[in-house]
Every structure is written in C-alpha cells, then in structure tokens.
C-alpha cells in the first residue's frame, strides 16, 4: 500500500493530466472548422456535376453553392429557364410523383437559398415540388446522391426558376 506522500503525488499527477487534456481539447476546438460552412470557390458547376443535372443552354441567373457538414454536404443549384425545360428537368430526376403544389409547405429550418440571394422556394406561393431518392428509383447516374428536392416557380413570359437541393 502506497504511503500518504505517494498517494498525494499520484493525485496531483492525475489532476494535472486531467486539466492539461481539457485545455488541449479547448485549444483544438478553436482551430477546428465550424459546421455548417459554405465552401469557398465552389458553385453551380460543382453542384450540377454532383446532381448529374445539365443546366439548359441559355439559362439565366445560374448560381450554386455547397454547404459543408460533418455527415453529408448540401448542394444547391438554381437557374431561370423556359418553363417546359424546367418540367423536363424535374421529370429527368425520375420522381415517383410529378411536380405538385404542396397543400402546406413549412419554411425551412435554416436559410439555404438565401445564401444565393434567393427566397427559399418553400415560401413562394404556387411553387411546385418533387422529391426523389435516386437509389430508391434505381437511378444509377446519381449513385452518390441520397436525395434531391426540386422546386419549379413559374415566372412571367413562360420562364421558370428551378431550385435544386441535394445531399
């Protein structure tokens, strides 16, 4: 059995190790990246490539972003195109149900498309939506995509804004 001095020395050593491990952890936390964060220098081309979506020739206001998260990144893509092409893009996603207006669509938990300077599509009256799980519908073109939401918001002159959100 250790004597009193040895026990005290062991307790002081254990306490100092515990304190130093906590302070090291806090310093490491300060230098870690915070999540979520927007990837710099990444935009529409990378988002379209991830989703395997072709932005139509002549599309306007093409914009995209990637939000980095600990588990899965979020890809955003938006553009304005002909309303017929917007519907074709939605159909190409192979959703089990066609584009439709939701009876109730709650605003998102966080701002996503606001990062691109756009209103969130769920807040736009009359925006049509479809969602698809590419692996569920055996869309092998999109094997690394777990889910895609598409919103189509009809505008004037036969144009529509397409919003795509994928992870």
């Amino acid at each position: 059995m250790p004597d009193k001095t040895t026990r005290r020395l062991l307790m002081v050593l254990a306490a100092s190790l515990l304190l130093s491990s906590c302070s090291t952890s806090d310093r490491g936390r300060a230098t870690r990246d915070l999540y979520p964060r927007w990837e710099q220098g990444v935009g529409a081309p990378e988002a379209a490539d991830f989703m395997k979506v072709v932005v139509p020739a002549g599309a306007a206001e093409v914009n995209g972003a990637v939000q980095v998260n600990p588990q899965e990144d979020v890809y955003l893509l938006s553009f304005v195109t002909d309303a017929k092409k917007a519907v074709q893009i939605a159909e190409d996603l192979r959703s089990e149900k066609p584009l439709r207006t939701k009876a109730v669509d709650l605003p998102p938990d966080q701002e996503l498309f606001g990062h691109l300077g756009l209103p969130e599509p769920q807040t736009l009256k009359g925006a049509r939506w479809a969602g698809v799980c590419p692996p569920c519908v055996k869309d092998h073109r999109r094997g690394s995509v777990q889910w895609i939401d598409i919103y189509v918001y009809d505008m004037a002159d036969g144009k529509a804004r397409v919003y795509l959100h994928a992870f």
Side-chain angles (χ1 to χ4, degrees):
M1 180 147 267
D3 66 2
K4 228 185 225 185
T5 306
T6 305
R7 280 189 294 195
R8 283 186 186 161
L9 185 58
L10 289 173
M11 286 176 35
V12 168
L13 181 61
S16 66
L17 286 172
L18 181 63
L19 288 173
S20 68
S21 69
C22 290
S23 64
T24 301
S25 171
D26 289 343
R27 277 196 303 270
R29 184 178 300 135
T31 60
R32 275 188 247 150
D33 290 332
L34 299 176
Y35 296 102
R37 65 178 168 79
W38 295 101
E39 185 74 28
Q40 297 298 313
V42 177
E46 292 81 6
D49 184 55
F50 175 75
M51 294 182 225
K52 304 298 183 231
V53 171
V54 176
V55 176
E61 300 177 37
V62 180
N63 209 340
V66 177
Q67 185 186 64
V68 178
N69 291 286
Q71 292 185 353
E72 51 196 10
D73 296 340
V74 173
Y75 293 79
L76 303 178
L77 179 63
S78 181
F79 51 87
V80 175
T81 189
D82 178 85
K84 288 181 182 180
K85 288 180 185 174
V87 171
Q88 289 170 347
I89 291 166
E91 289 171 351
D92 182 58
L93 295 177
R94 302 180 184 169
S95 177
E96 293 176 344
K97 294 183 180 180
L99 281 171
R100 61 199 174 280
T101 304
K102 290 184 173 182
V104 175
D105 203 353
L106 301 174
D109 292 336
Q110 62 178 319
E111 179 181 274
L112 291 174
F113 285 94
H115 177 72
L116 301 177
L118 298 169
E120 300 301 322
Q122 300 90 325
T123 65
L124 299 172
K125 187 175 181 170
R128 294 173 290 154
W129 170 85
V132 64
C133 164
C136 301
V137 296
K138 298 181 181 18
D139 185 352
H140 302 292
R141 301 169 298 166
R142 298 180 175 95
S144 61
V145 182
Q146 296 302 308
W147 184 263
I148 300 177
D149 283 311
I150 183 169
Y151 283 85
V152 174
Y153 181 65
D154 292 318
M155 302 166 66
D157 301 324
K159 299 287 184 188
R161 176 172 295 282
V162 175
Y163 291 84
L164 292 153
H165 165 233
F167 54 88

